[in-house]
Amino acid sequence: AGIVERNGFDHPEFGWEMSGFGPVATLRAYKMVLHRGEQISVTYQVRQYYGRSSVFAVTVAAPSTDYPPPAGVQFFKSVKKRSK
């Protein structure tokens, strides 16, 4: 875990998209974090999936040099609406 100097994100980008799940709100932003004595840029992606009566939010964060992490991409692609 790293240390941050202030709350909030830098350069946030907001969006909406449709998926097999339904509407999805997206946020991608950056933050400088002190990690092992070195300032590094970290990229965050937040996705909020909206169902008929629920909201499911997922956040993935990784050093910007390693972004996007393969496991995060795979997980986002796996989110589906369950059939009744």
Side-chain angles (χ1 to χ4, degrees):
I3 299 171
V4 297
E5 293 182 11
R6 57 187 167 72
N7 291 330
F9 292 121
D10 294 320
H11 311 291
E13 299 173 12
F14 299 95
W16 282 95
E17 59 188 59
M18 291 300 292
S19 73
F21 188 85
V24 181
T26 62
L27 163 69
R28 189 172 83 172
Y30 308 91
K31 186 174 199 73
M32 294 303 292
V33 175
L34 183 63
H35 179 69
R36 297 181 181 165
E38 182 181 342
Q39 286 279 347
I40 64 167
S41 177
V42 175
T43 301
Y44 292 81
Q45 184 175 17
V46 180
R47 295 176 64 87
Q48 285 189 249
Y49 298 85
Y50 292 86
R52 278 186 32 216
S53 61
S54 61
V55 177
F56 174 59
V58 180
T59 302
V60 170
S64 296
T65 55
D66 299 331
Y67 197 86
V73 171
Q74 184 176 10
F75 181 79
F76 286 147
K77 288 180 179 180
S78 75
V79 176
K80 304 255 187 307
K81 186 181 259 187
R82 186 171 71 172
S83 300
K84 289 187 175 189

